[in-house]
Amino acid sequence: MDNLSVKEPLIYRRILLTIDEDDSESNTRAFRFAITLAHDYDATLGIVSILENEDINIFDSLTPTKINEKRIDLKNAVDNYVKMAEENGLKKVEPLVYEGGDIDDAILERVIPDFKPDLIVTGADTQMPHSKISGTIGPRLAKRAPVSVIVVR
Amino acid sequence: MDNLSVKEPLIYRRILLTIDEDDSESNTRAFRFAITLAHDYDATLGIVSILENEDINIFDSLTPTKINEKRIDLKNAVDNYVKMAEENGLKKVEPLVYEGGDIDDAILERVIPDFKPDLIVTGADTQMPHSKISGTIGPRLAKRAPVSVIVVR
């Protein structure tokens, strides 16, 4: 092992926080960890939520009006987290709202290529609304993402 | 949401790093992240590796001599990481070597209750030798552990 390179600090510079609509305990803790790390290492923080609209009507019988309400709720949730991050002294915070398709694929195929995070922070209970795949997204991202993933509890 | 508590820093105080015998890229990066975080937040770092010996003879046709060699290799690997962490200025580093049973269960049922980590750091490629379960342990721990887990790539 190369002792020199192995002892170099490993610092994340672009942190992607996934949130859902619920202010669950793990969501809140994920947010706290993300802003702590972004603050202390001067990283850029992206805060993302995803509205899966592909099969939304089938699964929840939502009318267009209700879908739009969901969209606005999600946008507001992201904006609220961005605002709190900025109030906490962060200068580089980006709201990211995506729509459509499968949640995992949206993150893997669109959000990651767009935002280029080196770390994804997700709450252990984070579940995107109306996801076709049951369960939380963290462990799945931990398995499939090409970058580091922390599941916060 | 309670804006006061949500903005409090979230800092990990007891970090558990899982390693295997291989100096894979992700193992090295996991080590680097663990020592960075432990250093910068004055956390206690436990470095753990596990020798699954329950079915080792069946799976690898190892003789007692070979099992003992594996045991020594693993102990040396852990000690080497501990030494590097200490050379990097860490004062609170604990070597942890466990044996027996299923790798996930050993971590969940014995290492976590013993060491009481609040964060587990694991490389994306970390595979304990002779594990009965194929694949890497990170995503499984991310799903099952009662504490935060980061899978480092």
Side-chain angles (χ1 to χ4, degrees):
Chain A
M1 195 177 333
D2 178 355
N3 269 23
L4 281 176
S5 68
V6 87
K7 286 195 270 179
E8 260 178 48
L10 191 147
I11 291 168
Y12 293 111
R13 300 297 184 190
R14 294 186 66 80
I15 298 168
L16 179 69
L17 171 70
T18 65
I19 62 151
D20 61 24
E21 283 170 297
D22 298 325
D23 299 326
S24 69
E25 172 76 14
S26 79
N27 255 329
T28 302
R29 289 177 60 80
F31 174 76
R32 287 173 53 203
F33 179 69
I35 61 171
T36 302
L37 216 56
H39 178 271
D40 294 350
Y41 295 105
D42 194 29
T44 298
L45 176 63
I47 301 179
V48 67
S49 199
I50 293 168
L51 182 67
E52 289 187 298
N53 58 10
E54 204 177 19
D55 292 318
I56 215 164
N57 283 295
I58 297 165
F59 276 72
D60 285 70
S61 309
L62 292 184
T63 61
T65 309
K66 281 194 180 157
I67 293 177
N68 208 40
E69 278 169 17
K70 285 280 168 199
R71 188 174 288 140
I72 290 166
D73 286 350
L74 216 54
K75 178 84 171 61
N76 286 343
V78 170
D79 287 345
N80 189 35
Y81 276 109
V82 168
K83 182 165 157 278
M84 285 192 296
E86 287 172 344
E87 284 169 2
N88 215 51
L90 298 198
K91 303 273 185 240
K92 298 175 286 186
V93 190
E94 298 179 19
L96 303 164
V97 179
Y98 282 69
E99 290 193 26
D102 168 78
I103 176 74
D104 298 32
D105 292 341
I107 291 177
L108 292 168
E109 292 168 13
R110 293 162 57 206
V111 182
I112 292 174
D114 286 354
F115 183 72
K116 296 180 180 59
D118 46 17
L119 174 66
I120 297 173
V121 179
T122 176
D125 304 320
T126 303
Q127 279 181 297
M128 295 295 167
H130 321 297
S131 180
K132 283 178 290 183
I133 303 170
S134 65
T136 56
I137 63 166
R140 295 199 307 275
L141 285 179
K143 189 172 184 180
R144 296 179 61 197
V147 299
S148 298
V149 176
I150 181 167
V151 177
V152 177
R153 288 188 175 82
Chain B
M1 192 177 334
D2 178 354
N3 270 21
L4 280 177
S5 68
V6 86
K7 285 194 270 178
E8 260 180 49
L10 190 147
I11 291 167
Y12 293 111
R13 301 296 184 189
R14 293 186 67 80
I15 298 169
L16 178 69
L17 172 69
T18 66
I19 61 151
D20 60 25
E21 284 171 294
D22 298 325
D23 299 326
S24 69
E25 172 78 16
S26 78
N27 255 328
T28 303
R29 289 176 60 81
F31 174 76
R32 288 173 53 203
F33 180 69
I35 60 171
T36 303
L37 215 57
H39 178 274
D40 294 349
Y41 295 105
D42 194 30
T44 298
L45 176 64
I47 300 180
V48 69
S49 198
I50 293 167
L51 181 68
E52 289 185 299
N53 59 9
E54 205 178 21
D55 293 318
I56 214 166
N57 283 295
I58 297 164
F59 275 72
D60 286 70
S61 309
L62 293 183
T63 62
T65 309
K66 281 196 181 158
I67 293 176
N68 209 39
E69 278 170 17
K70 285 279 167 200
R71 189 175 287 140
I72 290 167
D73 285 351
L74 216 54
K75 177 85 171 62
N76 287 343
V78 170
D79 287 345
N80 189 36
Y81 277 109
V82 168
K83 185 166 155 278
M84 284 192 296
E86 287 172 345
E87 285 169 3
N88 214 53
L90 298 198
K91 304 274 185 241
K92 299 174 285 186
V93 189
E94 298 179 18
L96 304 163
V97 179
Y98 282 71
E99 290 194 27
D102 168 78
I103 176 75
D104 296 31
D105 291 343
I107 291 177
L108 293 168
E109 292 167 14
R110 293 161 59 206
V111 184
I112 292 174
D114 287 355
F115 182 73
K116 298 181 177 59
D118 46 18
L119 173 66
I120 297 172
V121 179
T122 178
D125 305 319
T126 303
Q127 279 182 295
M128 296 296 168
H130 321 296
S131 179
K132 284 178 290 184
I133 303 170
S134 65
T136 57
I137 62 167
R140 295 199 307 274
L141 285 179
K143 188 172 183 176
R144 296 179 61 198
V147 299
S148 298
V149 176
I150 180 165
V151 177
V152 176
R153 287 187 178 83

